[in-house]
Amino acid sequence: MMASMNRLPAPYGLLLDRNESITFSFENKSYQGYAGDTIASALAANDQWLLSRSFKYHRPRGVLTMAGQDANTLVQLPADPNVLADREPIVPELAVTGQNYSGSLNRDRSAWIERFAKFMPVGFYYRAFFRPKGIWEKWVRIIRQKAGLGVIDQNYKPVYFDKQYLFYDVVVVGGGPAGMVAALQAADSGAEVLLVDENPVLGGSLNYARFDAQGQRAGVLRAKMIADVEASDRVDIKLNALCNGWYTDNWLPIIQARRLYKVRAGEVILCVGALEQQAVFHNNDLPGIMMSSATQRLIHLYGVRPGKTAVILSGNNNAYGVALDLMDAGVDVKLIVELRKNPQYDDIARSAIARNIAVKTGHAVYAAIPGPDKKHISRVDVRKIISEGTCAAQGEIIECDLLCMSVGYTPAYQLPCQAGGQLGYDDETSSFTLTNLPDSCRLAGSVRGVQPESETDSMNFPWPIFPHPDGKEFVDFDEDLQIADIVHAVHDGYEHVQLVKRYSTCGMGPSQGRHSALPTARLVAKATNKTIAETGVTTARPPFAAERLAHSAGRSFYPSRRSNMHYRHLEAGAQMLQAGAWYRPAYYGPIGSKAEAIRGEVRNVRNNVGLVDVSTLGGIEVRGADAAEFLQRIYTFNFTKQPVGRARYALLTNEAGVVIDDGVACRFHQHHYYVTTTTGGADRVYQNMLKWNVQWCLDVDVANVSSAWCGVNIAGPYARHVLEKLCRDVDLGAEAFPYMGVREGTVAGIPARLIRVGFVGELGYEIHVPQHFGEALWDELMKAGSDQKIMPFGVEAQRVLRLEKGHIIIGQDTDAMSNPLEVQMSWAIARKKPFFVGGRIIAELEKAQIKRTLVGFVVNDRQAPIPLENHLVLDAEHMVGRVTSCEYSPTLDKPVGLAYAPLGNAGAGSQIIIKSTGGVRVTADIVDLPFYDPDNRRQEL
Amino acid sequence: MTTTTPTHHLRRSQLYRWHVNALARFEEAAGSAVVTEYAGADNEVNQATRLALVDLSTLPRVGFKGPGAPDWLDQQGAQLPDSPNQAVRQQDDSLIARLSDYELLILADLNLNSTLPAILQDRWSLASANKTYSVPRSDSHCWFALTGADAAMALSKVCGVDLRTHKFADQTIAQTSLARVNAIILRNDLAKTPCFFLLSDVSSAQYLWHAILDAMVEFHGRSVGIAALRALEAKPQ
Amino acid sequence: MKILNCPLNGPRNIAEFSYGGELHRMPDPSKCESREWVEHVFFNENKAGIVTEWWYHNASSYWFLAERNTVTDEIIRTFPASDVFKERVDFSKETGEAQE
């Protein structure tokens, strides 16, 4: 194999496995790299520096940080857009393309946009496209096409992502020297420690930076520290793992491969390091211009020579270590452009200078100049600094294909600030501080500010910003924002750095201001005559880096609940619906036959006998000497005089007098009620009862037994006949066990509670049995009822049946404002009780006139479209109410429904106008409820 | 041991179809069927030392709550844990778990030798047991056992409480959320093998069974029968 | 995720709990003015500072009280509701007085 042209020999390339070469493609051209290479490093080894086109102007972009901290390296994989090329490892046959271009990455037809840049200042979108009305709709398609990043694979096959909870005494984020020392010290004190690093190896800056003139020290330290950490059985190490935020009480989302770890730490030590910053000058975004740390990463981690001829822009002594690294790697270092006028050198700098590197102090790179293909740096214009940010009129042109920027660092303040830390800046020394963190979250290493080891200059050059008449001095690479954009935003009146961000979009791109925050703060400070400390930086909320939605969505838990009879419904051909977490049979039959199925089930209940699973109803045991008193306070009705063996309707209102639930209260003993609730209301009602009970200290126990009981309602003229075959220990006679009676006995040998209810308007019994007997009960009843043509019926038929009988469903026929008076339930209110929840407000409401009432209506016009739930009731064109339920009634052979109507035309014989499907006005006749069997003869059989 | 089929009994676990499809062999347990073992599975005991899930939902258990419950149980000869979220093994091998000051849960032993659950159930009545109220734990909750060295790690995929064995002692209880359903987690080691009893809403049994099996995949866990648990309990591994 | 220390179950992720609103002592429904009652039902003090709140541990069906600083979101302490509610509350028909 031909060696890639920029590849350095071993031992360069700490991460490479040179025994395994990998072939992949970029922009349909085949390349070779080694295992351990990222896409960007393998391409750089092959002298392919152009990686992407910028978001707005489609300018060529290449390696900037080589650490996954910038948006320059975003590329497209077949199934994934916006992949960081300087993080993503190459694998055999990986097909990588650029994104955000028209035509090809090399010849982007959209690059013309840049020439119109001066016509697109910040705020351009807000100002340009909103007039005349409707024009945005036309522009938006064009803009979206031009501005989108990457392509989503619409044929993506979901893969398995999951989550895990982990617990540690101490979590150390960042596996550099500070992190390793912190982890070892914590482990020595007896703590269980997790050490997290986003890189494939521990070591941090020891892996690539130069800590002494000879370049020996880092390697020795690194080997020792890693060996110690790996030897400690109290330290767990997670590599390629990103701690993507800090949440309250040291709750850390750590992403590794396809898993999101939710880690709870007793203490967190953030050793997240510092981020090197760019200088701002004309064409500072050209490929070939990169952070000095990026060149060191290329050389040491990936064995890539970052260029042939280099210029280094220096604002601190690190630049000289970089110069040594470059020279050692065979790069011709033409010049160090030293921003400092009187630099104080350290040992490394002195030893670099001793190797005869040319240094121009007090100079700046005023502009970078691309080569003829416009895609790479070829020269720099070096000029003397006259005053802060201003250069001499003339400069010297120097040829180079690499410009390293070593002008300063910001601490990686994102996680510390999420933990409550405050970022401070000292305008005198150009250095940062992080303070105010909680005691359980500490900092170590360069996140506390990069400090020179000896008495030398600050690592941050205070003003590496040089405006140019032609602009293109990029502050924010993600959003193509230049110096003038930031200054204009301030001049447009957005003086606060948070407003500048929102107006200009500065810092809102994929790199989230990691490199734009500092120059923006400097520019805003200057434009507003404030200090940088006063100006500050914008908030950096989690996540730190872009994360896949799959990590949040993966292996989510959606609990589902099934009654013990569940499979009997499926076997009977039921279409299931979900009511909350519950599966319930909607109707029995093929999907296409819904209407006929429901009609058939309704008729069978009216004419023969039907069976419906009511296991989803809530059940609450209320027991103790104060059981009746407790219900008296909770529900609207009167319960103290309720005889044992009887059930009573139980209507629940909240403190505001709004109807929130209903059921029946069955008195099985002087001190024992069994209260049912709606399917969705069980937990809430139970919770409410417990809360009241805690406050009242009554002699009563409240127990939620909803799941413990499985139930059916057997209903229809033959219900008693069928039940008699299975139940011999309860007298089922109409007088012995009347309507609203309750009994305990056995059904087919299964212990059961029997409740004579009339929800569907026929003779019927709810039979509640312990959950695990549910399926057997179902089988026995179906078998016993076969001669009487028993058929199961589903939720849909039950809704029709109860509607015919005029029974409301809480939550469907009531809303967040419905009081008992409006839903015609004054009869369910016991006014003489000293207290019930909601009673005081209902008493107030009774003094005033209610404004609406729930009425029953029928639609006699056979041509009219059947109204649906939430269709409006109109008075002329004004909405005066709404339909809450409406179904075709097989029994009455016409649509019947419930609707809120204004009190004025709510009496029987009145009419209401409903705006039905397609806007058709349907006239409905108001009738007295119920629609079916007003004398209750059927249910009291 | 009498072999049986689940549908031979009126009382059936929500999961019996799953067990049948997985070629379970069943035995009778208190008027119902429990999985003895699955046909074709090699060495379930060994599996249970590593990671295994067992459905014990049909085994007897009973609960009592109310301010008089501790005294009443004490009068019946039961030994109660001193504080909530602790469990105590009884002389007849049943287990009493204290869920709060005034709420107790009594679980039968795996060999069904214990008599206490049935005795308590028989003796209790609303009238006779002062301020003591029975709760139908046999039917309100499903009952699973998750056993083996990797059990705590598998649970860490579905539970936000630290259940690692050096942090969560034997015979302690966590009432918490398991794959987003409420659950009682009771650590009850079988000799030296870590074992967690999981009791959760019975209507969520199928959901939870599959959620836990899913969490077990990466540890090569699978379901086993009650025979493996008994073997572990009898013979320290 | 925040940790809440349940008096029954110890420190747990706050997702295990439901918020139950501010602690209000209910005025005597038979004696108080409508205005006072309506304020009790519909108004929260919404204080910036330390408030007492109801919290409910879902898995154990346990209500308790917490003192929380609404400015810093610091939970100062949690305690059983029985520390506050010690005696039976009665609503007497004759006098209309809530007897405590």
Side-chain angles (χ1 to χ4, degrees):
Chain A
M1 190 189 89
M2 202 183 78
S4 305
M5 56 189 299
N6 290 333
R7 194 67 85 176
L8 296 164
Y12 285 119
L14 180 71
L15 301 180
L16 299 183
D17 176 0
R18 294 187 194 240
N19 296 317
E20 191 188 338
S21 49
I22 289 173
T23 304
F24 71 105
S25 72
F26 180 64
E27 287 283 299
N28 300 315
K29 193 178 159 194
S30 183
Y31 293 91
Q32 281 194 316
Y34 293 118
D37 258 323
T38 62
I39 295 166
S41 68
L43 290 174
N46 288 284
D47 216 35
Q48 171 66 38
W49 293 99
L50 173 63
L51 293 172
S52 70
R53 291 280 173 171
S54 72
F55 185 60
K56 193 162 150 195
Y57 300 141
H58 295 256
R59 287 173 65 91
R61 294 282 167 80
V63 166
L64 178 63
T65 62
M66 208 52 214
Q69 301 300 328
D70 60 280
N72 281 8
T73 70
L74 293 180
V75 294
Q76 175 87 41
L77 300 186
D80 283 315
N82 302 321
V83 169
L84 290 164
D86 54 349
R87 278 231 162 269
E88 186 74 14
I90 53 168
V91 292
E93 307 310 318
L94 186 69
V96 188
T97 52
Q99 58 186 29
N100 194 35
Y101 57 73
S102 320
S104 74
L105 181 63
N106 248 339
R107 304 173 70 87
D108 183 352
R109 288 197 304 271
S110 295
W112 58 266
I113 291 175
E114 184 182 354
R115 281 181 273 147
F116 296 88
K118 72 169 77 159
F119 303 109
M120 296 190 283
V122 287
F124 169 68
Y125 280 44
Y126 307 132
R127 295 189 295 217
F129 297 114
F130 76 103
R131 248 180 285 186
K133 198 178 173 209
I135 198 74
W136 172 249
E137 297 302 321
K138 297 197 169 54
W139 276 107
V140 68
R141 269 179 239 161
I142 300 167
I143 293 167
R144 288 270 151 77
Q145 184 113 49
K146 285 274 171 281
L149 283 182
V151 180
I152 288 171
D153 177 12
Q154 309 255 7
N155 299 314
Y156 175 78
K157 297 262 183 307
V159 287
Y160 189 90
F161 282 70
D162 72 355
K163 297 169 190 166
Q164 185 171 16
Y165 296 93
L166 295 178
F167 311 88
Y168 286 93
D169 298 323
V170 176
V171 172
V172 179
V173 183
M180 289 192 284
V181 169
L184 284 170
Q185 285 190 0
D188 284 347
S189 73
E192 290 180 359
V193 182
L194 174 66
L195 177 58
V196 184
D197 196 286
E198 59 180 328
N199 296 295
V201 292
L202 289 174
S205 58
L206 294 176
N207 295 333
Y208 59 85
R210 194 160 183 128
F211 290 86
D212 61 343
Q214 292 71 37
Q216 302 296 320
R217 195 172 147 213
V220 175
L221 269 175
R222 173 183 183 276
K224 168 90 172 75
M225 285 183 179
I226 293 178
D228 288 350
V229 169
E230 287 179 344
S232 171
D233 56 7
R234 286 211 185 82
V235 181
D236 288 345
I237 302 166
K238 283 202 184 300
L239 297 173
N240 292 311
L242 175 67
C243 179
N244 217 8
W246 182 98
Y247 293 88
T248 308
D249 291 335
N250 288 335
W251 176 253
L252 308 173
I254 294 177
I255 294 169
Q256 188 187 44
R258 287 179 185 165
R259 180 167 289 178
L260 171 63
Y261 292 98
K262 303 179 186 185
V263 184
R264 178 72 73 182
E267 276 194 47
V268 173
I269 306 173
L270 297 171
C271 309
V272 287
L275 299 169
E276 194 165 26
Q277 299 291 308
Q278 86 269 27
V280 181
F281 55 87
H282 183 63
N283 284 340
N284 61 338
D285 63 331
L286 279 174
I289 303 175
M290 62 187 83
M291 306 293 182
S292 69
S293 51
T295 62
Q296 290 181 305
R297 285 183 158 101
L298 280 171
I299 292 169
H300 295 288
L301 300 180
Y302 302 105
V304 172
R305 192 183 55 187
K308 294 174 203 69
T309 338
V311 169
I312 300 171
L313 177 60
S314 166
N316 55 36
N317 287 336
N318 269 7
Y320 297 81
V322 175
L324 290 170
D325 277 347
L326 287 170
M327 285 189 286
D328 290 351
V331 180
D332 176 16
V333 180
K334 282 266 200 64
L335 175 67
I336 294 181
V337 180
E338 177 57 77
L339 293 160
R340 294 173 292 178
K341 211 167 176 182
N342 301 301
Q344 288 189 285
Y345 293 126
D346 62 6
D347 286 347
I348 300 176
R350 279 189 286 272
S351 83
I353 291 162
R355 283 171 70 172
N356 292 324
I357 299 179
V359 179
K360 277 191 174 216
T361 56
H363 277 64
V365 172
Y366 177 64
I369 302 158
D373 68 351
K374 308 274 188 199
K375 289 187 206 62
H376 206 86
I377 184 172
S378 74
R379 283 160 294 159
V380 287
D381 181 349
V382 176
R383 298 192 185 184
K384 190 173 168 51
I385 301 172
I386 301 168
S387 62
E388 184 180 272
T390 311
C391 292
Q394 297 294 320
E396 185 185 348
I397 304 292
I398 303 196
E399 303 218 345
C400 64
D401 65 349
L402 170 65
L403 174 61
C404 307
M405 300 178 285
S406 179
V407 300
Y409 301 82
T410 57
Y413 56 79
Q414 291 80 0
L415 263 55
C417 288
Q418 288 161 21
Q422 279 172 352
L423 183 67
Y425 184 81
D426 183 336
D427 285 74
E428 292 284 308
T429 61
S430 313
S431 58
F432 290 93
T433 54
L434 275 162
T435 52
N436 209 34
L437 277 103
D439 290 344
S440 63
C441 183
R442 295 156 198 273
L443 306 176
S446 59
V447 67
R448 306 178 68 206
V450 181
Q451 303 297 340
E453 281 189 41
S454 51
E455 292 283 311
T456 53
D457 291 333
S458 161
M459 298 305 278
N460 287 326
F461 186 74
W463 196 265
I465 300 174
F466 302 96
H468 190 282
D470 294 336
K472 303 287 158 9
E473 338 83 330
F474 288 97
V475 173
D476 187 316
F477 287 22
D478 302 11
E479 305 274 347
D480 279 345
L481 294 167
Q482 311 157 56
I483 293 173
D485 293 321
I486 305 302
V487 175
H488 285 161
V490 174
H491 291 164
D492 283 355
Y494 300 93
E495 295 196 353
H496 195 284
V497 70
Q498 297 282 8
L499 298 176
V500 170
K501 171 178 173 174
R502 278 144 188 89
Y503 186 61
S504 69
T505 71
C506 180
M508 290 166 76
S511 60
Q512 289 286 290
R514 287 194 275 267
H515 305 105
S516 60
L518 178 57
T520 302
R522 283 170 167 155
L523 289 165
V524 171
K526 189 166 218 170
T528 56
N529 284 320
K530 287 183 178 155
T531 63
I532 293 162
E534 287 165 340
T535 305
V537 295
T538 55
T539 314
R541 296 182 182 82
F544 175 70
E547 63 185 45
R548 291 166 178 277
L549 290 175
H551 278 118
S552 304
R555 195 61 186 106
S556 284
F557 295 108
Y558 297 103
S560 55
R561 304 177 71 181
R562 291 165 179 80
S563 92
N564 200 268
M565 306 160 192
H566 180 78
Y567 287 96
R568 291 297 185 242
H569 305 318
L570 299 184
E571 288 155 10
Q575 304 302 324
M576 304 300 282
L577 60 77
Q578 272 204 288
W582 282 102
Y583 280 102
R584 304 189 68 185
Y587 58 90
Y588 297 80
I591 288 176
S593 72
K594 181 176 176 182
E596 302 99 275
I598 295 169
R599 234 168 280 176
E601 291 169 22
V602 168
R603 291 203 178 106
N604 197 55
V605 171
R606 294 275 180 249
N607 299 326
N608 300 307
V609 59
L611 193 63
V612 62
D613 184 350
V614 297
S615 304
T616 61
L617 290 179
I620 296 172
E621 303 271 34
V622 178
R623 291 172 291 188
D626 283 325
E629 171 66 17
F630 183 74
L631 290 194
Q632 195 79 342
R633 298 180 184 192
I634 294 287
Y635 287 100
T636 62
F637 224 172
N638 222 327
F639 299 93
T640 44
K641 288 177 184 149
Q642 177 182 349
V644 170
R646 298 289 290 188
R648 227 164 235 195
Y649 180 67
L651 183 70
L652 186 67
T653 55
N654 64 13
E655 282 193 290
V658 172
V659 173
I660 54 171
D661 205 77
D662 70 350
V664 292
C666 310
R667 194 167 201 176
F668 283 108
H669 181 278
Q670 177 77 5
H671 297 155
H672 176 196
Y673 287 84
Y674 173 60
V675 192
T676 65
T677 76
T678 60
T679 296
D683 288 342
R684 193 176 58 238
V685 171
Y686 175 57
Q687 205 174 309
N688 264 322
M689 285 184 174
L690 290 178
K691 193 176 172 192
W692 285 115
N693 196 26
V694 164
Q695 297 170 73
W696 291 334
C697 302
L698 295 180
D699 183 4
V700 71
D701 181 77
V702 181
N704 186 354
V705 294
S706 299
S707 290
W709 294 91
C710 211
V712 293
N713 182 9
I714 182 166
Y718 295 115
R720 180 181 296 122
H721 189 82
V722 174
L723 190 54
E724 273 169 347
K725 297 182 194 176
L726 300 173
C727 176
R728 307 231 155 70
D729 50 1
V730 176
D731 183 349
L732 297 173
E735 280 169 32
F737 188 179
Y739 179 64
M740 290 305 267
V742 297
R743 296 292 181 271
E744 286 179 292
T746 59
V747 176
I750 301 166
R753 288 176 174 177
L754 306 175
I755 311 165
R756 254 199 87 175
V757 290
F759 190 52
V760 299
E762 298 294 338
L763 167 66
Y765 302 85
E766 273 189 18
I767 308 170
H768 294 206
V769 299
Q771 181 70 238
H772 288 117
F773 291 100
E775 186 178 277
L777 175 75
W778 181 271
D779 290 348
E780 295 293 338
L781 287 166
M782 288 300 288
K783 204 162 59 185
S786 61
D787 292 346
Q788 282 69 42
K789 299 188 178 147
I790 195 168
M791 267 172 54
F793 65 103
V795 175
E796 298 283 2
Q798 184 181 242
R799 283 174 175 227
V800 175
L801 289 160
R802 67 87 202 180
L803 182 59
E804 289 178 344
K805 189 61 188 163
H807 289 305
I808 64 165
I809 294 178
I810 308 293
Q812 175 167 336
D813 301 304
T814 65
D815 54 40
M817 300 293 284
S818 305
N819 63 57
L821 314 175
E822 291 176 344
V823 298
Q824 301 193 28
M825 291 233 188
S826 300
W827 57 268
I829 294 166
R831 291 174 184 77
K832 288 181 181 155
K833 295 199 284 192
F835 173 83
F836 68 91
V837 177
R840 178 73 195 254
I841 297 284
I842 290 169
E844 298 286 335
L845 288 169
E846 287 197 302
K847 290 182 207 159
Q849 178 80 316
I850 56 165
K851 293 189 177 63
R852 59 172 188 170
T853 185
L854 192 67
V855 297
F857 67 84
V858 296
V859 179
N860 288 310
D861 177 0
R862 292 195 165 265
Q863 307 305 314
I866 296 184
L868 303 175
E869 287 159 33
N870 290 323
H871 279 172
L872 302 182
V873 177
L874 298 179
D875 177 5
E877 284 306 302
H878 298 289
M879 184 193 106
V880 292
R882 67 182 178 91
V883 174
T884 62
S885 293
C886 186
E887 310 271 1
Y888 167 77
S889 161
T891 314
L892 279 74
D893 188 28
K894 62 177 89 164
V896 302
L898 298 171
Y900 284 103
L903 214 54
N905 57 345
S910 313
Q911 290 185 325
I912 52 172
I913 307 296
I914 297 165
K915 186 179 173 186
S916 186
T917 309
V920 177
R921 266 57 168 179
V922 174
T923 303
D925 296 301
I926 294 178
V927 297
D928 283 327
L929 291 172
F931 303 101
Y932 173 72
D933 186 26
D935 301 328
N936 296 330
R937 292 206 186 106
R938 308 277 301 181
Q939 67 191 23
E940 289 173 15
L941 268 178
Chain B
M1 177 187 95
T2 325
T3 58
T4 187
T5 59
T7 49
H8 181 71
H9 305 274
L10 294 173
R11 187 176 153 77
R12 296 164 200 172
S13 162
Q14 293 259 19
L15 287 157
Y16 82 81
R17 283 178 174 76
W18 190 92
H19 301 315
V20 170
N21 287 335
L23 305 178
R25 277 198 284 272
F26 296 89
E27 65 187 73
E28 187 168 348
S32 187
V34 66
V35 176
T36 311
E37 62 184 352
Y38 296 89
D42 43 73
N43 204 338
E44 291 197 353
V45 180
N46 202 349
Q47 178 73 43
T49 62
R50 299 196 308 272
L51 183 62
L53 185 64
V54 191
D55 178 16
L56 303 175
S57 297
T58 49
L59 265 51
R61 55 203 176 277
V62 59
F64 296 95
K65 65 192 285 251
D71 284 348
W72 185 76
L73 283 164
D74 187 52
Q75 287 156 24
Q76 314 309 314
Q79 293 234 300
L80 304 191
D82 293 333
S83 51
N85 292 315
Q86 303 285 330
V88 167
R89 169 126 352 248
Q90 306 295 299
Q91 282 186 342
D92 71 346
D93 274 353
S94 61
L95 193 65
I96 295 193
R98 188 163 201 157
L99 302 177
S100 73
D101 285 340
Y102 303 117
E103 181 160 7
L104 296 123
L105 166 67
I106 300 96
L107 300 169
D109 69 304
L110 298 172
N111 293 302
L112 300 176
N113 291 329
S114 53
T115 51
L116 193 60
I119 290 173
L120 294 173
Q121 191 121 27
D122 287 347
R123 288 192 193 159
W124 179 85
S125 73
L126 186 62
S128 68
N130 181 41
K131 296 188 184 183
T132 303
Y133 308 98
S134 79
V135 273
R137 292 290 185 188
S138 292
D139 288 283
S140 62
H141 286 66
C142 57
W143 178 6
F144 303 153
L146 186 70
T147 71
D150 287 330
M153 283 311 281
L155 285 173
S156 76
K157 293 180 70 182
V158 289
C159 181
V161 175
D162 191 354
L163 299 169
R164 290 175 300 162
T165 46
H166 63 288
K167 297 279 180 180
F168 186 71
D170 194 20
Q171 309 285 298
T172 58
I173 294 164
Q175 300 176 68
T176 182
S177 171
L178 201 56
R180 284 188 61 211
V181 290
N182 292 332
I184 299 163
I185 301 174
L186 196 175
R187 182 169 163 206
N188 180 59
D189 287 1
L190 305 171
K192 285 181 179 159
T193 303
C195 174
F196 298 91
F197 286 159
L198 313 172
L199 292 104
S200 182
D201 172 42
V202 68
S203 67
S204 308
Q206 296 184 52
Y207 158 76
L208 190 61
W209 181 261
H210 290 287
I212 296 172
L213 283 179
D214 176 81
M216 293 162 68
V217 168
E218 70 177 283
F219 307 101
H220 311 289
R222 58 175 182 78
S223 68
V224 302
I226 195 171
L229 301 190
R230 288 175 182 149
L232 287 183
E233 201 171 36
K235 273 185 272 172
Q237 296 290 308
Chain C
M1 182 172 339
K2 204 169 177 59
I3 291 173
L4 185 58
N5 188 20
C6 173
L8 175 60
N9 297 286
R12 291 291 172 80
N13 291 340
I14 204 161
E16 289 198 15
F17 301 86
S18 300
Y19 175 64
E22 286 177 16
L23 172 67
H24 291 217
R25 292 308 285 256
M26 192 172 85
D28 182 341
S30 63
K31 286 174 85 179
C32 72
E33 294 294 320
S34 296
R35 177 87 211 164
E36 187 185 356
W37 187 262
V38 164
E39 286 188 2
H40 162 68
V41 172
F42 292 104
F43 290 179
N44 275 317
E45 201 184 347
N46 204 18
K47 187 168 98 180
I50 294 170
V51 297
T52 307
E53 299 171 333
W54 286 102
W55 284 86
Y56 178 76
H57 186 245
N58 301 318
S60 58
S61 306
Y62 178 71
W63 280 107
F64 61 96
L65 294 166
E67 279 175 12
R68 186 173 68 93
N69 186 328
T70 56
V71 178
T72 61
D73 199 25
E74 183 195 0
I75 296 163
I76 290 121
R77 70 180 185 117
T78 57
F79 52 98
S82 56
D83 287 4
V84 173
F85 298 96
K86 294 183 166 136
E87 295 194 12
R88 178 191 173 94
V89 175
D90 274 310
F91 304 100
S92 160
K93 206 181 241 174
E94 287 72 32
T95 67
E97 270 184 322
Q99 299 171 343
E100 286 192 35

